[in-house]
Amino acid sequence: GENVEQHPSTLSVQEGDSAVIKCTYSDSASNYFPWYKQELGKRPQLIIDIRSNVGEKKDQRIAVTLNKTAKHFSLHITETQPEDSAVYFCASSSNSGGSNYKLTFGKGTLLTVNP
Amino acid sequence: DSGVTQTPKHLITATGQRVTLRCSPRSGDLSVYWYQQSLDQGLQFLIQYYNGEERAKGNILERFSAQQFPDLHSELNLSSLELGDSALYFCASSLRTLADTQYFGPGTRLTVL
């Protein structure tokens, strides 16, 4: 089955710095890659996603890049703020049989932005 | 607020018992997904229903089952509960398929004593 590796598991940055989280996946047929942010005790919230027909997508301070050949994708957060502190999960879609797909999540990255 | 609702918010029960978790998807969404989140296993996909039919299965134990009703709400049934089943259970919904954005509910925290 699909395997998603996420690094690093923890990341501490100073406010205003950039943060980068990287994920690799194993299923070459995967074509949808969302990123979720989860604050302590709350639900995961989609912050950005990318599909395999594009290599990069940006939304204000957040960007995601995808390299299908290398089977990896990354989340970039610029000008980090204390409210960016949370656990970030990457995920990829993978075939679970026939035309059915499921999301496989990475283990998460705990991002801490120090004021 | 994602528009996905889950009840109950918290559930405390004993080993060997059976519980039912309920999820109402966002208005218009046909797909419902169930996830289990624990400290050691992270976010694990359990099962997906689309318009009342099972569509995809993940790491769901045989002791667990789910269904989606004609009004599109879904229930996750957990039986013969074990200590290790203690976790946060999230429901998510999307318009149709996995290619559509999934919106998560607030979760049900299950504690098995």
Side-chain angles (χ1 to χ4, degrees):
Chain A
E2 171 76 303
N3 185 43
V4 176
E5 299 279 341
Q6 183 172 347
H7 298 281
S9 56
T10 61
L11 180 59
S12 182
V13 300
Q14 288 300 122
E15 183 177 358
D17 288 350
S18 294
V20 180
I21 302 170
K22 299 182 179 182
C23 287
T24 60
Y25 61 97
S26 59
D27 185 355
S28 56
S30 293
N31 59 7
Y32 174 62
F33 308 92
W35 285 88
Y36 285 86
K37 174 185 179 182
Q38 187 177 26
E39 296 174 3
L40 189 63
K42 299 197 174 174
R43 75 190 80 191
Q45 289 190 297
L46 179 77
I47 54 171
I48 195 166
D49 58 14
I50 192 167
R51 300 181 195 274
S52 59
N53 56 345
V54 298
E56 185 174 356
K57 185 176 176 180
K58 195 171 179 180
D59 182 5
Q60 299 184 337
R61 296 185 298 109
I62 294 172
V64 57
T65 58
L66 171 64
N67 183 328
K68 283 224 79 182
T69 304
K71 289 190 280 189
H72 69 70
F73 56 113
S74 300
L75 177 72
H76 304 253
I77 306 174
T78 58
E79 300 169 27
T80 54
Q81 300 165 3
E83 49 266 38
D84 293 330
S85 297
V87 177
Y88 291 80
F89 292 95
C90 65
S92 79
S93 68
S94 60
N95 192 280
S96 63
S99 61
N100 300 318
Y101 287 78
K102 65 181 179 77
L103 272 182
T104 301
F105 284 83
K107 294 284 189 191
T109 296
L110 174 61
L111 173 64
T112 303
V113 180
N114 302 299
Chain B
D1 186 357
S2 65
V4 180
T5 60
Q6 286 186 252
T7 56
K9 203 170 182 178
H10 301 279
L11 201 47
I12 301 174
T13 189
T15 54
Q17 295 298 304
R18 173 190 167 96
V19 297
T20 297
L21 313 184
R22 183 187 167 103
C23 167
S24 290
R26 291 187 326 152
S27 176
D29 284 357
L30 299 178
S31 271
V32 169
Y33 310 79
W34 286 98
Y35 294 90
Q36 179 192 59
Q37 186 175 37
S38 59
L39 277 173
D40 55 341
Q41 294 292 322
L43 257 173
Q44 298 271 324
F45 167 74
L46 296 178
I47 198 164
Q48 177 204 355
Y49 277 82
Y50 171 73
N51 205 20
E53 292 185 4
E54 181 185 304
R55 267 297 169 91
K57 245 180 177 177
N59 304 322
I60 188 165
L61 299 171
E62 283 192 13
R63 300 183 285 107
F64 296 1
S65 65
Q67 54 184 329
Q68 186 180 28
F69 295 86
D71 66 352
L72 301 177
H73 90 271
S74 177
E75 292 181 356
L76 179 67
N77 301 297
L78 316 175
S79 61
S80 303
L81 285 167
E82 301 174 1
L83 296 178
D85 296 328
S86 296
L88 253 177
Y89 290 84
F90 286 104
C91 164
S93 74
S94 72
L95 192 58
R96 289 182 303 275
T97 69
L98 185 62
D100 300 312
T101 301
Q102 290 188 29
Y103 296 91
F104 280 73
T108 292
R109 182 170 293 282
L110 173 66
T111 303
V112 182
L113 300 174

